[in-house]
Amino acid sequence: MAKCTDTVILNLWHPIGAIAETSPFAVEETVLLEERVSFAVSEKGEPVVWRSQPGLRPGDRAPVVDIDERLPAKSAYGYVWTSLGSPPEDLFPIPEYAEADRRKLNAATFGVNVSAPRAIENFLDMGHFPYVHTDILGVEPHTEVKEYDVEISADRDEILATRCRFFQPMASTTSDGGADVDYVYRVPHPYCSVLYKSSPLDETRRDVIAVFLQPVDQEHVRAHMLLCVLDEDNEDKVIKRFQQTIFGQDKPILENQVPKRLPLDPRAETPIRADKSAIAYRRWLSQKGVTYGVIPVAA
């Protein structure tokens, strides 16, 4: 399989590991866009990333000052980010991450045999809640996806879905019963999406859940799940387990998608009214000229 030649994707920042799960100065190795890359993080969380090289194996202590030909590196939202191209100076903002009273966790990093765009499309889909996440994020007969708004913002270069509302029996670890939950979805990066959902603890604020996808190749990803939530009572492992359960239910659905790459031609798959976000996402990818992990519209 050919390595990535999509300059749009090459020039993006991509997540490659959770800082809290990395020992200081220990070499970690992973695959990004079919390239083996290594990284190490200092005690202060400052990352160094490079193309993997002989002599530095996973688990070794990295003499990071001696690493030549470093790749771009950034620490953001609890993860190491890098690029195989020329990324912008800044990553998309998540201002809630700076709020001191939030719990900020990597719920888990999952390997999934699917393309990054397919995984994003699934993240945007409310229609599957009652059938895949039964008695947690949805339940019959509450199956209707109510009308919501979607925009592609040229100024912010992102997709925003608002007025999303869905009945959920147990929306989070802090829920004490079923309720209509307000959602806002953002897609500020072709392979990343951020979800804001109403908090049971504070009606004026929202919990933040994000999926940051690391494209291993065109049909395999590592999905890094960020939690940035209001929860004063539950242990980290309880908060993580709730989100792991949700993603564990999604994983077999994702891996049985056919084709694994996302078709961008609107005629390739028949959308319904509930798919407004997915339709906008496919259009946005086409406008950007993304070719990696998708089936482009035929010329």
Side-chain angles (χ1 to χ4, degrees), residues 184-204:
V184 173
Y185 288 94
R186 285 176 63 207
V187 186
H189 177 298
Y191 295 169
C192 299
S193 186
V194 185
L195 165 66
Y196 302 82
K197 61 190 298 186
S198 49
S199 168
L201 298 184
D202 187 339
E203 64 181 15
T204 67

Side-chain angles (χ1 to χ4, degrees), residues 172-291:
S172 73
T173 52
T174 58
S175 299
D176 57 7
D180 281 335
V181 177
D182 290 314
Y183 276 65
V184 173
Y185 288 94
R186 285 176 63 207
V187 186
H189 177 298
Y191 295 169
C192 299
S193 186
V194 185
L195 165 66
Y196 302 82
K197 61 190 298 186
S198 49
S199 168
L201 298 184
D202 187 339
E203 64 181 15
T204 67
R205 303 169 72 190
R206 288 188 170 99
D207 287 333
V208 180
I209 301 168
V211 59
F212 301 147
L213 296 172
Q214 172 189 337
V216 174
D217 59 34
Q218 296 213 58
E219 297 184 355
H220 298 80
V221 299
R222 296 176 75 227
H224 306 281
M225 296 294 302
L226 168 69
L227 301 179
C228 182
V229 299
L230 301 170
D231 190 328
E232 301 170 349
D233 300 322
N234 290 292
E235 296 180 68
D236 287 357
K237 64 181 179 182
V238 174
I239 301 172
K240 288 183 177 183
R241 189 182 304 125
F242 180 84
Q243 196 61 39
Q244 289 167 3
T245 298
I246 300 300
F247 199 92
Q249 294 169 337
D250 279 322
K251 190 173 187 290
I253 305 300
L254 285 168
E255 295 189 330
N256 282 285
Q257 291 272 20
V258 178
K260 290 186 179 295
R261 303 183 198 187
L262 183 68
L264 298 186
D265 190 327
R267 299 165 297 181
E269 296 175 343
T270 304
I272 59 176
R273 179 173 58 85
D275 296 330
K276 288 170 65 175
S277 292
I279 295 167
Y281 175 59
R282 294 184 187 205
R283 185 184 310 126
W284 188 61
L285 293 181
S286 290
Q287 290 170 353
K288 284 180 165 295
V290 171
T291 60

